[in-house]
Amino acid sequence: MAALYSTSSCFCGSLGSYPVHKSVKLGHGKVRDSGFYFPHRFQCATPKLHVQAKALSVDGLPEIMDSSLVVCFGEMLIDFVPTISGLSLAEAPAFKKAPGGAPANVAVGIARLGGSSAFIGKVGEDEFGYMLADILKENNVNNEGMRFDPGARTALAFVTLRSDGEREFMFYRNPSADMLLQENELDFDLITKATIFHYGSISLITEPCKSAHIAAAKAAKDAGVVLSYDPNLRLPLWPSVESARKGILSIWDTADIIKVSEEEISFLTQGEDPYDDGVVRKLFHSNLKLLLVTEGPDGCRYYTQEFSGKVKGLKVEAVDTTGAGDAFVAGTLSQLASDLSLIQDEDQLRNALKFSNVCGALTVTERGAIPALPTREAVVNALVKTVA
């Protein structure tokens, strides 16, 4: 697994005022006819973390249950990744087109691991938008919550791969369709049927998507759905450094599960040491059940109200770190959705995080995010090799 982003980035396009666009609902039909409809609704507003442990599979990990739906909210876009690492965007001879966007990556990652996932977001009513919808469908992700905007394009991001596999970004959003999702376009039935509702911070940057994000998270919280948050800092997309910090922290205290990188801890604490447990604990609010800190190839740290520790990562040769953090999140949420009591058992949580670390590590060995996300079989095989 590798760091989630590069602080050296550039941005093209204005985030200024924009007209309200009409949108159309997805016309591609249902992805699955089963697995997304629950026999009952959650009756309490408190996440159900005290649940009976699920049966373990032959590999010692929780069995993936069809009813354990994770709904991912936010952006989906096209990444253009250079075919040769170590060159600037201007020097790159060619680019590989790859679907991306952190929440969408997580949704596909969960499905590829055998879990149940759905994506809610907006793309352009264009060839790229329909391509992305098809990719979700092909990967067994429920895409009924997708919307298409006829007046805005699907977002694009050109990604520079340094020689060490780390990235720099140039975004084309002025505005892109993902920024224009409105509250009245949300699929609230899908949101409230989830076990976990996962999101990032990019959808908080501009209206109307910001209001849609807040409304979706509130509906999930009120239905007793567990809220999962990965800030996924992309500083060039925010108007200023301070607005990014304020925006990310504005919804911090509502999340039940938070995943951050060591760089994001430094950013949010204004330069404090991200490896100091005392600094990390400052970010642990009273309602938080699990705080995860990713450290690239070194693995991750975990913090709950009762215990904390570190799980080593899997060393691999990094080709492209795009999607590594999203793969880690997918690995974690796919297991928590089947058994939320993992958070209360340190040994089980550590085993789950070993699995998540391998998910991230395998992802950096190929180019692009979604194309590189591993299957459950690949992760289990890699785990077996580490103990052989």
Side-chain angles (χ1 to χ4, degrees):
M1 190 173 59
L4 302 188
Y5 68 96
S6 167
T7 54
S8 177
S9 307
C10 57
F11 171 73
C12 287
S14 169
L15 291 178
S17 60
Y18 48 82
V20 175
H21 294 266
K22 295 180 180 179
S23 68
V24 295
K25 292 187 178 181
L26 180 63
H28 284 219
K30 296 180 180 179
V31 179
R32 295 185 191 171
D33 292 328
S34 62
F36 297 102
Y37 298 93
F38 286 45
H40 65 277
R41 297 290 183 89
F42 289 102
Q43 297 301 316
C44 61
T46 302
K48 296 185 177 181
L49 295 179
H50 298 277
V51 298
Q52 184 176 359
K54 307 294 188 300
L56 297 181
S57 65
V58 292
D59 51 39
L61 297 166
E63 287 282 8
I64 300 298
M65 308 298 288
D66 286 341
S67 60
S68 304
L69 175 64
V70 179
V71 174
C72 301
F73 174 93
E75 68 279 2
M76 190 173 191
L77 47 85
I78 304 290
D79 288 327
F80 286 91
V81 184
T83 55
I84 299 176
S85 300
L87 299 177
S88 68
L89 291 177
E91 295 170 332
F95 295 85
K96 176 184 176 181
K97 181 181 69 203
N105 294 342
V106 173
V108 173
I110 290 169
R112 201 164 285 175
L113 292 168
S116 177
S117 65
F119 174 75
I120 292 178
K122 201 172 194 180
V123 293
E125 192 179 353
D126 52 40
E127 287 296 315
F128 284 148
Y130 286 111
M131 182 194 84
L132 293 174
D134 286 341
I135 286 170
L136 291 180
K137 183 176 180 180
E138 292 164 4
N139 283 277
N140 296 318
V141 176
N142 182 324
N143 63 4
E144 292 177 358
M146 287 188 77
R147 302 293 179 258
F148 293 82
D149 196 309
R153 295 297 190 188
T154 300
L156 308 178
F158 285 82
V159 186
T160 300
L161 297 179
R162 302 200 312 248
S163 57
D164 60 359
E166 285 298 329
R167 304 155 296 154
E168 297 177 359
F169 296 92
M170 182 169 68
F171 296 94
Y172 284 81
R173 303 168 83 234
N174 62 336
S176 53
D178 61 287
M179 301 162 65
L180 303 177
L181 181 66
Q182 301 183 56
E183 182 178 345
N184 62 8
E185 296 173 313
L186 295 172
D187 188 336
F188 286 104
D189 285 340
L190 186 60
I191 292 168
T192 56
K193 288 169 185 171
T195 298
I196 298 174
F197 183 70
H198 175 72
Y199 47 85
S201 69
I202 290 176
S203 48
L204 293 171
I205 297 175
T206 59
E207 294 288 0
C209 190
K210 177 180 178 180
S211 292
H213 176 135
I214 293 171
K218 183 180 186 303
K221 192 78 169 180
D222 290 346
V225 179
V226 173
L227 300 188
S228 168
Y229 183 27
D230 176 4
N232 192 36
L233 176 65
R234 293 290 182 266
L235 200 53
L237 297 180
W238 291 86
S240 67
V241 170
E242 188 52 41
S243 68
R245 187 178 294 111
K246 182 178 178 180
I248 289 171
L249 292 175
S250 68
I251 59 170
W252 195 265
D253 291 349
T254 64
D256 301 296
I257 301 166
I258 297 176
K259 193 280 297 180
V260 289
S261 68
E262 68 269 42
E263 294 99 332
E264 288 164 337
I265 290 176
S266 292
F267 174 77
L268 293 173
T269 60
Q270 301 188 58
E272 293 192 55
D273 183 3
Y275 302 100
D276 184 334
D277 283 351
V279 171
V280 177
R281 282 289 182 184
K282 291 179 182 178
L283 296 174
F284 200 99
H285 62 78
S286 60
N287 297 318
L288 192 59
K289 307 301 186 297
L290 177 63
L291 176 62
L292 298 170
V293 181
T294 53
E295 297 182 353
D298 295 326
C300 68
R301 281 174 282 155
Y302 57 89
Y303 300 83
T304 73
Q305 294 176 357
E306 289 80 29
F307 52 78
S308 62
K310 179 171 180 174
V311 178
K312 292 182 179 179
L314 176 65
K315 303 292 185 179
V316 297
E317 184 175 346
V319 174
D320 177 10
T321 61
T322 305
D326 303 326
F328 174 89
V329 172
T332 303
L333 296 186
S334 67
Q335 297 173 87
L336 289 176
S338 293
D339 186 1
L340 286 166
S341 69
L342 289 174
I343 293 176
Q344 299 165 339
D345 186 316
E346 186 169 11
D347 289 338
Q348 289 191 51
L349 179 61
R350 289 182 63 86
N351 284 334
L353 293 176
K354 289 177 184 176
F355 182 91
S356 303
N357 282 343
V358 173
C359 289
L362 294 180
T363 301
V364 307
T365 61
E366 297 182 32
R367 296 183 188 275
I370 287 178
L373 293 169
T375 62
R376 184 182 180 91
E377 181 182 9
V379 177
V380 170
N381 288 341
L383 280 169
V384 170
K385 291 178 181 179
T386 62
V387 297

